[in-house]
Structure formats: C-alpha cells, structure tokens
Amino acid sequence: MISIRPSRPTDGERALEIWASAVDATHDFLSPEDRLAIGKEVAGFLPGTPMTVAVDASDRALGFMIVDDGSIEALFVDAACHGQGVGKALIEHAIQALGAHRLEVNEQNARARGFYCRMAFAEIGRKEMDGQGRPYPLILMELRS
C-alpha cells in the first residue's frame, strides 16, 4: 500500500538516495562529469526542500516530488520501485490535491516521457538546455483537459 504525505526533516537523506537511484537508472545520457556535478547541486538543496513523499506501510519513502505553483518541478522514484505504481500515485496526488498541470522532462528520458503521456500530459514545447544551461533539452508538458 502506498500513502502520500508531506515530507519531514528526517526524509532528506532518503530523498537523496531515491534521487541517486532514479537518476542512475534513467539518466544514462548524462556525462559522468555532469552526473557528479548535478549530484553535488542536489545534495546542497534537496534535503531541506519541502516535498511530497510516497511511502510504504512502514513509512519508508519510495519516491518524492516537488510541486510549485502548478508545476511538477521534480519527481523521482527509487529504481527498485519502478513500475509498482509509486509514480502514478504521486502524479495523481499532484493533479488532484496540488493542482499540478505542467512539468518539464529531459528529452532523452524516453521512459519518463512515455509515463507522463500515459498520465494524460501532452508535449507543448521544448527548451534546448536544462535549467542550469547544460545541453540536455527539456520537453514542456501540460495536462490534457
């Protein structure tokens, strides 16, 4: 059973573990140097960032997302839990409870793009660079009405 709850200060380290697991499983397009640099950036802000967490029956975090002003800014699921409904539960919560209706996804992450399409998001645009100016294009997506 998956439950959704707001993060607690004690979730920070687990969120970093989830992020690393998910990125290593899905972001094979990152250069080793960029993976290391991005990991350091994420470690600097993620543990203290308010997020929404998907947990199992023992309250162990399985995935998390960050939603801001209607936009899903981040969604990561532990690689060991991919395909088990964790991402779906987070997206449904984001849409229904948090009013999320848009997101950006790495163009090279075909699995994530397909997942978001299955969750009723459609591609509406593209950015040539990621948010830090790296050459990883982003696809802009919006919830279909």
Side-chain angles (χ1 to χ4, degrees):
M1 183 175 111
I2 299 167
S3 299
I4 307 293
R5 64 165 172 78
S7 62
R8 301 176 186 135
T10 55
D11 291 321
E13 286 304 312
R14 177 66 182 137
L16 287 173
E17 292 172 4
I18 291 167
W19 179 88
S21 170
V23 167
D24 291 344
T26 61
H27 289 60
D28 57 353
F29 53 88
L30 293 176
S31 72
E33 298 80 17
D34 284 343
R35 166 60 179 88
L36 183 62
I38 294 167
K40 288 180 181 177
E41 291 169 12
V42 169
F45 75 84
L46 185 61
T49 301
M51 60 189 90
T52 302
V53 182
V55 297
D56 64 14
S58 65
D59 201 44
R60 177 172 168 76
L62 307 174
F64 70 88
M65 68 181 169
I66 300 168
V67 177
D68 184 43
D69 193 29
S71 179
I72 299 170
E73 300 294 328
L75 189 150
F76 293 93
V77 174
D78 189 312
C81 300
H82 285 183
Q84 297 178 20
V86 177
K88 180 179 180 181
L90 285 166
I91 288 287
E92 288 174 347
H93 182 82
I95 293 167
Q96 296 166 5
L98 305 176
H101 59 277
R102 65 183 174 277
L103 58 88
E104 296 177 355
V105 62
N106 288 102
E107 182 177 66
Q108 299 99 321
N109 191 344
R111 285 176 56 195
R113 287 174 64 192
F115 167 73
Y116 292 127
C117 286
R118 289 189 302 278
M119 296 303 300
F121 284 83
E123 297 182 13
I124 60 165
R126 184 177 188 276
K127 292 181 182 177
E128 292 300 319
M129 305 277 190
D130 70 10
Q132 290 74 40
R134 294 184 181 98
Y136 301 111
L138 297 172
I139 299 298
L140 312 175
M141 303 185 84
E142 191 168 77
L143 189 62
R144 286 179 245 143
S145 36

